[in-house]
Amino acid sequence: MNWKIPLFKPGLDDGDIQAAMEPLREEWLTMGERTRRFEEAFAERLGAKHAFAVSSGTAALHLALAAAGVGPGGEVLLPSLTFVACANTVVQLGARPVFVDVADQDDWTLGPAALEAAAGPKAKAVIAVHYAGFPARMEEINRIADERGLAVIEDCAHALFTRHGERNCGTWGTFGCFSFFSNKNMTTGEGGMIAAADDASAERVRLLRSHGMTTLTLDRHKGHAKSYDVLAPGYNYRIDEIRAALGLSQLRKLDGFLEKRRMVYQWFLEELADVDKLSIPFRGADSNGAGIHIFPVRLKTPEKRAAFMEGMQERGIQTSIHYPAIHRFQAYREMAKDAKCPITEAICASEVTLPFHPYLTRDEVGTIGAAARELLARG
Ligand SMILES: *Cc1c(COP(=O)(O)O)cnc(C)c1O
């Protein structure tokens, strides 16, 4: 399908391409200085004490859960309105996902009241997702987690870098997990980052990312270490130097991308203001400091969603759904049969994601708005 207006554009330039080729020319492909510099630059921009580059956002979530001590018999509280990796990684560790409804019709992040009601004695951690790039209610989530001794994991795959109060999303919880998948606000193809708030958590992540080994290839290469011990059965979730180089290059341009995304966001609000058959979430949120990732809307006539998306496709406009509710997937239905997520279910039945990326023009936003108006005016 050759879309006239695609859902997203990675937007790589010659600088990115040059940067990615350098490690290939130098033949130092993994665990080198670029990875270290990428982690340092990212941690500094985020305002985090520790950041570790990993092979994907999913790897970041898996590491965060493992480092938080999630395992068999434990429960993890998370929204059903998120990407399935959040729940898959919980199940892979032998724990049970407990799905929590979102706050309300406008705020599609974890609902603190629903969280409080769902948190039982087996709960070990909570995953807060900053949906679309808008911050979850971290003050309340942290308070509830503190009272119950839960680790707080922020899924920041959409929220790079979203300001919330005095801090960025990803530094409120115990861990902040980021994705650099090709459709995210910044990309390395596949890749991710995990921020850790304290030294002990960071040490767990450092170990588990690389087989649980006490010393790393780079240390041994530098002659700092000769052998190693293994302290825990860890994973190989490392990134490579090619991706780290691309990440460093992308990171330098990110603030410009984010500024442009906020502008496109305002264009959409302006364009869709008179389309009364659509509703736009997060109208109560402050978008000024948000690293906005997608533009979700809800149709007031959910039964017309398939026809609406079909009509958009006929006009060359790509749309998507973020997300089908996890607790309704075949793999989750049985284990989540007690889930109480009525707001999530209503959202999931009526949501459509419109194209959103920093290269959209005002005219293209106008084209999308006109198509939406026309399609929704039909009987
Ligand atoms: C993309 C995404 C992930 C997973 O990241 P990958 O890098 O694709 O593994 C997790 N959670 C959310 C909300 C995402 O959007």
Side-chain angles (χ1 to χ4, degrees):
M1 194 65 205
N2 207 354
W3 299 101
K4 209 167 79 192
I5 309 182
L7 204 56
F8 71 91
K9 258 186 197 175
L12 299 175
D13 64 17
D14 286 343
D16 294 321
I17 294 164
Q18 287 301 326
M21 284 195 309
E22 277 168 28
L24 295 173
R25 290 208 184 90
E26 293 167 14
E27 294 192 16
W28 188 284
L29 300 181
T30 62
M31 304 192 79
E33 287 297 330
R34 281 191 182 80
T35 300
R36 197 186 51 74
R37 290 212 317 267
F38 182 34
E39 292 172 341
E40 270 175 23
F42 191 91
E44 193 189 324
R45 173 63 181 82
L46 182 66
K49 194 164 179 205
H50 306 276
F52 301 93
V54 291
S55 51
S56 68
T58 303
L61 287 166
H62 197 186
L63 280 177
L65 290 161
V70 169
E75 290 179 351
V76 175
L77 302 141
L78 76 163
S80 183
L81 184 66
T82 182
F83 185 55
V84 70
C86 295
N88 287 348
T89 47
V90 171
V91 175
Q92 283 152 10
L93 285 164
R96 196 173 82 92
V98 175
F99 296 103
V100 176
D101 213 351
V102 295
D104 55 49
Q105 303 284 342
D106 181 59
D107 180 347
W108 296 4
T109 67
L110 206 59
L115 175 64
E116 209 145 23
K122 294 180 191 160
K124 291 283 179 285
V126 51
I127 303 177
V129 179
H130 306 296
Y131 183 100
F134 293 100
R137 301 185 182 183
M138 294 313 300
E139 294 87 344
E140 287 160 275
I141 292 168
N142 278 357
R143 178 186 55 76
I144 296 164
D146 281 350
E147 283 167 12
R148 290 169 170 76
L150 310 179
V152 176
I153 297 167
E154 296 177 74
D155 180 336
C156 305
H158 295 190
L160 175 81
F161 292 103
T162 288
R163 196 92 192 142
H164 180 53
E166 296 299 301
R167 290 188 257 166
N168 281 316
C169 288
T171 66
W172 281 81
T174 325
F175 300 102
C177 299
F178 296 82
S179 166
F180 308 133
F181 183 61
S182 53
N183 66 359
K184 299 293 156 71
N185 288 6
M186 171 187 134
T187 187
T188 60
E190 300 280 1
M193 191 75 77
I194 173 168
D198 62 84
D199 297 345
S201 300
E203 208 36 54
R204 293 284 300 159
V205 169
R206 190 196 310 280
L207 270 178
L208 292 173
R209 177 181 60 167
S210 201
H211 309 289
M213 285 159 61
T214 49
T215 67
L216 303 176
T217 309
L218 189 60
D219 303 319
R220 290 192 298 278
H221 175 75
K222 286 178 171 171
H224 296 166
K226 296 282 177 288
S227 184
Y228 57 84
D229 194 7
V230 172
L231 304 185
Y235 310 95
N236 174 2
Y237 278 163
R238 298 183 305 261
I239 202 166
D240 59 62
E241 288 284 285
I242 304 155
R243 287 183 176 82
L246 185 52
L248 264 171
S249 177
Q250 287 265 295
L251 189 60
R252 277 186 222 112
K253 293 177 285 200
L254 186 67
D255 284 314
F257 286 156
L258 297 183
E259 199 55 49
K260 187 70 201 303
R261 281 177 177 272
R262 285 188 281 269
M263 191 163 90
V264 174
Y265 183 75
Q266 291 305 321
W267 290 344
F268 267 109
L269 294 187
E270 195 180 283
E271 178 64 37
L272 299 176
D274 65 343
V275 188
D276 56 7
K277 287 182 176 160
L278 282 183
S279 65
I280 299 169
F282 296 105
R283 299 314 297 269
D286 173 14
S287 62
N288 287 320
I292 305 166
H293 175 51
I294 52 173
F295 196 91
V297 297
R298 272 181 79 181
L299 305 190
K300 290 182 183 166
T301 46
E303 66 282 5
K304 293 191 186 140
R305 178 165 68 178
F308 178 83
M309 293 179 75
E310 187 67 32
M312 287 298 219
Q313 175 162 345
E314 281 161 15
R315 286 162 180 74
I317 302 168
Q318 188 180 16
T319 60
S320 177
I321 295 173
H322 287 85
Y323 295 91
I326 298 177
H327 69 285
R328 292 295 185 87
F329 286 136
Q330 194 178 314
Y332 284 93
R333 240 172 262 158
E334 186 54 31
M335 77 177 95
K337 61 181 185 301
D338 300 328
K340 289 180 204 67
C341 302
I343 310 170
T344 298
E345 284 168 17
I347 291 169
C348 293
S350 56
E351 193 271 347
V352 177
T353 306
L354 301 179
F356 189 74
H357 58 76
Y359 302 95
L360 278 178
T361 63
R362 182 66 186 86
D363 275 358
E364 287 174 318
V365 172
T367 303
I368 296 164
R373 252 188 303 276
E374 189 197 325
L375 289 165
L376 292 170
R378 291 181 184 170

